[in-house]
Amino acid sequence: MANFQYRWKSKKLREHVSVINGDIPPTIVLQNATYLNVHVNAWLKANIWVYEDRIVYVGDELPSETKGTEIVDCSSFFIVPGYIEPHVHPFQLYNPHSFAQYASQSGTTTIVNDNLMLALHLTKKKAFTFLDEMKKSPVTMYWWCRFDAQTEIRNEEEVFTTSNIKSWLDHETVIQGGELTCWPKVVAGDDIILHWMQEAKRRNKPIEGHLPGASEKTLVKMKLLGVDSDHEAMTGSDVKKRILQGYTTPLRYSSIRPDLPTILEELEQSDFHYYDQAFFTTDGSPPSFYQGGIINRLIAIALEQGIDPINAYKMASFNAAKHFKVEHIHGSASTGRIANLNILTDINNPTPIAVLANGKWVKKEGKLVESAFAQVNWDMLGLSKLNLDWDLCMDDLQFSMALGLSMVNDVILKPYSVLVDVSGEELAIDDDQSFLMLMDRHGKWRINTIIQGFDRGIGGLVSSYSNTGDIVIIGKNKNDMIVAFSRMKELGGGMVLVENGEVITEIPLPLDGVMSQKNLEELIVEEENMRSELFARGYSFTDPIYTLLFLSSTHLPYIRITPRGIYDVMNKTVLFPSIMR
């Protein structure tokens, strides 16, 4: 990982040695700890010395100089490495800072983030300023480098250029290329994306795939082209197939793919007990999914499935660090590593009572240490309220398209023929068809169609939260849709549900219309309210938040509503172009 092998400069390294020599006291000593040594796969007794942000010693000795040292008796506790979440979409209503703070309270101290929203919404300079600002968090934040927009946007060739890709890959906090949602293009002969993959490889950074349902032949091809990992295994067989081809394989437990229990059960039943090339992920789920924590929940599931605790904790830490080539500073409670440590009351309870992140207490005696997390100046980072200088009007709400989008599940859409009369002011309540629009956030274009299966009773739902940052509008009543839009505009971005002209519930998203400034505990309540009201009005799948996000996502079959128009994913063509206003 670029420059991170030089995290501590020569003067600081001399200080670390001086601690061992007894010239400088350590900052913290965790005394008489039973800790997981991931290198010998054993629970050992030791004293762990921490100096500032680094573990400087693990062994039997105690420091001779302890003036000002905080000594913590850990004789009744167990210490494991801080957990790593290797696949985060940190803009799922929450923001990277609020997610990191929340994650730290259940022991996740390192997260690897998707950069897509930054690449699409900010200039490269502002995006890199954002990355640098996030480095101030005690939770270590790394990033991906996307190679495509995951949808059909009008300026993709301006955003995803060789120059921009190289700049992202060169950034010291970017540790992988991908996720490779554009893999069909690579297989079909797109040498530009293949070149970008090779640029990542040249920098010794792995490539993450996105290969749901991939055959062995496809897995082999993508391995030959440079893909190192894939988080789309849905069964034990999928995991085995990937590991046998040399992939590192994340085991997923997310809001729309809670596959981990099934995967582990199938692997154990098949006598496949090899987990060194596997690690855990929650795949960037919406806020309400995270009640109870992040990676700690997946460890608990593994323990419930009979997985050996050492393997479970390694999948939550060391295995991910090794995959990303950062095991020299992450993933173990070992000398020389960053002091990311979880203190547990019991090996079988992976939710820590105390957490050290970068050598700072972020949780102590079961409580958040708020002073560990500095406030973020979002305006300085270019993330402020949406300032829309246009309005939604009845002229925009003209529907005549005979082709609609029918929901198969939370995220899969198929084309269907619209047979109902859509020319009036409203559609029938209790019918599963509703008006659907995607509006340019700058008010320049729109695309109007019908969605089937989303609901049976929504008057108007407007969301500035979407894959592209454009405005999604769904409803059965055009007046309610206009009221919902007006309220969203007044909020400066958000999700608003309206019925009979009255706001039923809302989620303000003042950070560029995509993210909330609130902590996750508050945001979970808002999202739960929204989910409850949508379910009450006929949403019949699992995750309406993901549905709204993925309406434009062309890495999923079969048809999408995108800034360029209604898009046929399988044939890679625009069926009906968007209309200029």
Side-chain angles (χ1 to χ4, degrees):
M1 192 174 113
N3 298 328
F4 267 75
Q5 62 266 44
Y6 308 116
R7 178 186 176 96
W8 298 281
K9 295 183 179 180
S10 297
K11 181 180 179 182
K12 187 61 63 178
L13 293 175
R14 295 294 183 191
E15 286 183 24
H16 297 166
V17 173
S18 293
V19 175
I20 305 304
N21 291 337
D23 301 324
I24 298 174
T27 310
I28 299 169
V29 172
L30 305 176
Q31 190 172 355
N32 297 322
T34 299
Y35 81 102
L36 173 60
N37 187 306
V38 300
H39 308 293
V40 298
N41 290 338
W43 298 94
L44 305 175
K45 274 280 188 182
N47 302 306
I48 300 175
W49 306 6
V50 174
Y51 178 70
E52 295 179 346
D53 63 344
R54 196 181 194 193
I55 300 168
V56 295
Y57 174 78
V58 180
D60 296 331
E61 300 297 320
L62 286 168
S64 57
E65 176 58 61
T66 59
K67 185 178 180 180
T69 300
E70 180 183 4
I71 299 177
V72 182
D73 180 10
C74 292
S75 55
S76 60
F77 298 109
F78 300 87
I79 294 178
V80 296
Y83 310 142
I84 299 173
E85 170 47 282
H87 188 106
V88 178
H89 302 288
F91 310 101
Q92 301 284 57
L93 305 182
Y94 42 75
N95 63 70
H97 182 264
S98 64
F99 181 83
Q101 178 175 307
Y102 184 80
S104 72
Q105 298 309 289
S106 54
T108 297
T109 56
T110 302
I111 56 181
V112 186
N113 289 316
D114 185 359
N115 77 321
L116 182 59
M117 290 295 182
L118 298 179
L120 293 181
H121 291 264
L122 299 178
T123 64
K124 185 171 66 178
K125 182 177 180 180
K126 285 187 175 180
F128 288 174
T129 299
F130 184 95
L131 267 56
D132 290 340
E133 183 69 18
M134 292 300 104
K135 286 162 63 176
K136 297 176 182 178
S137 171
V139 174
T140 305
M141 290 193 225
Y142 296 126
W143 299 83
W144 322 341
C145 172
R146 287 273 196 163
F147 298 146
D148 77 313
Q150 199 173 278
T151 187
E152 293 297 306
I153 60 175
R154 292 168 175 264
N155 64 332
E156 182 164 8
E157 67 283 350
E158 299 171 15
V159 176
F160 296 94
T161 66
T162 297
S163 175
N164 282 348
I165 295 297
K166 287 183 177 180
S167 294
W168 275 97
L169 289 172
D170 284 336
H171 196 280
E172 63 179 4
T173 64
V174 173
I175 61 173
Q176 79 167 6
E179 61 180 292
L180 201 67
T181 53
C182 55
W183 68 268
K185 293 182 180 179
V186 182
V187 171
D190 190 321
D191 282 337
I192 294 177
I193 297 173
L194 182 58
H195 173 66
W196 297 340
M197 293 169 65
Q198 291 175 314
E199 287 295 317
K201 291 290 192 178
R202 191 164 66 84
R203 291 160 174 80
N204 203 30
K205 299 183 180 185
I207 305 289
E208 183 179 20
H210 180 96
L211 307 169
S215 66
E216 182 182 59
K217 191 172 185 179
T218 296
L219 290 171
V220 169
K221 289 179 182 178
M222 295 314 300
K223 188 65 180 172
L224 291 172
L225 292 168
V227 173
D228 299 286
S229 68
D230 177 52
H231 63 282
E232 290 292 338
M234 301 176 195
T235 65
S237 176
D238 286 346
V239 172
K240 288 170 64 176
K241 218 165 32 172
R242 284 158 173 77
I243 289 177
L244 291 173
Q245 292 298 335
Y247 285 81
T248 305
T249 306
L251 309 184
R252 180 170 54 183
Y253 187 71
S254 71
S255 60
I256 57 175
R257 294 298 327 179
D259 298 318
L260 181 62
T262 300
I263 286 173
L264 293 175
E265 182 180 359
E266 291 178 358
L267 290 174
E268 290 296 298
Q269 288 178 351
S270 67
D271 274 342
F272 190 86
H273 308 295
Y274 179 74
Y275 295 104
D276 286 357
Q277 283 174 243
F279 48 75
F280 297 131
T281 183
T282 60
D283 196 8
S285 296
S288 61
F289 181 78
Y290 289 121
Q291 298 179 70
I294 316 294
I295 295 298
N296 59 310
R297 292 176 61 201
L298 281 63
I299 301 170
I301 290 170
L303 296 175
E304 289 167 5
Q305 292 291 327
I307 303 301
D308 179 85
I310 290 176
N311 276 334
Y313 285 107
K314 286 180 70 175
M315 283 191 280
S317 55
F318 180 72
N319 292 2
K322 183 174 64 174
H323 169 73
F324 290 115
K325 302 177 174 59
V326 293
E327 70 270 28
H328 60 296
I329 53 175
H330 288 292
S332 61
S334 307
T335 299
R337 274 58 174 189
I338 298 170
N340 294 330
L341 299 170
N342 290 331
I343 300 178
L344 311 179
T345 57
D346 190 287
I347 288 173
N348 292 309
N349 180 7
T351 301
I353 193 171
V355 179
L356 276 172
N358 270 282
K360 295 180 180 178
W361 293 109
V362 295
K363 184 180 185 181
K364 204 170 186 181
E365 297 178 352
K367 296 180 180 178
L368 167 69
V369 180
E370 292 190 29
S371 60
F373 293 88
Q375 295 297 310
V376 176
N377 185 338
W378 297 108
D379 288 335
M380 182 272 290
L381 295 174
L383 293 168
S384 54
K385 289 185 176 182
L386 279 185
N387 183 19
L388 304 181
D389 60 359
W390 55 277
D391 291 301
L392 181 69
C393 63
M394 276 295 178
D395 285 345
D396 294 313
L397 300 171
Q398 304 299 314
F399 294 84
S400 59
M401 191 180 296
L403 179 73
L405 282 61
S406 180
M407 293 182 64
V408 177
N409 59 27
D410 297 80
V411 298
I412 304 299
L413 298 168
K414 284 188 174 181
Y416 84 104
S417 297
V418 178
L419 301 177
V420 298
D421 181 6
V422 297
S423 62
E425 298 297 304
E426 59 185 1
L427 296 175
I429 297 295
D430 290 333
D431 187 87
D432 68 348
Q433 297 174 91
S434 297
F435 299 121
L436 169 64
M437 298 178 65
L438 186 68
M439 296 281 291
D440 175 31
R441 65 159 47 195
H442 303 294
K444 294 180 179 179
W445 52 260
R446 61 177 171 83
I447 183 74
N448 296 28
T449 186
I450 303 296
I451 188 167
Q452 182 182 57
F454 184 86
D455 73 286
R456 288 182 174 272
I458 290 175
L461 173 67
V462 171
S463 175
S464 58
Y465 166 82
S466 68
N467 187 45
T468 61
D470 297 306
I471 314 300
V472 175
I473 306 169
I474 297 173
K476 295 184 177 296
N477 184 289
K478 293 180 179 179
N479 286 318
D480 284 347
M481 294 159 73
I482 290 174
V483 172
F485 176 86
S486 297
R487 177 56 182 162
M488 181 278 297
K489 179 179 176 180
E490 182 182 350
L491 290 172
M495 297 176 62
V496 179
L497 177 65
V498 168
E499 189 172 277
N500 298 324
E502 298 293 329
V503 174
I504 302 300
T505 189
E506 63 188 27
I507 304 176
L509 301 173
L511 301 181
D512 206 39
V514 178
M515 297 173 285
S516 173
Q517 289 180 310
K518 296 178 181 177
N519 63 47
L520 252 76
E521 291 84 353
E522 295 175 281
L523 187 56
I524 285 170
V525 173
E526 291 184 345
E527 190 213 342
E528 286 281 20
N529 289 339
M530 180 65 74
R531 286 168 58 90
S532 176
E533 297 293 349
L534 293 177
F535 285 131
R537 287 160 178 78
Y539 181 85
S540 60
F541 299 105
T542 305
D543 194 333
I545 305 303
Y546 250 119
T547 296
L548 292 171
L549 178 69
F550 280 161
L551 285 173
S552 298
S553 297
T554 53
H555 68 296
L556 295 164
Y558 293 90
I559 191 167
R560 299 285 137 177
I561 184 169
T562 77
R564 291 182 57 205
I566 302 296
Y567 187 77
D568 181 337
V569 175
M570 309 310 286
N571 293 308
K572 299 177 178 57
T573 56
V574 175
L575 300 177
F576 298 94
S578 51
I579 298 170
M580 302 306 292
R581 296 176 77 225

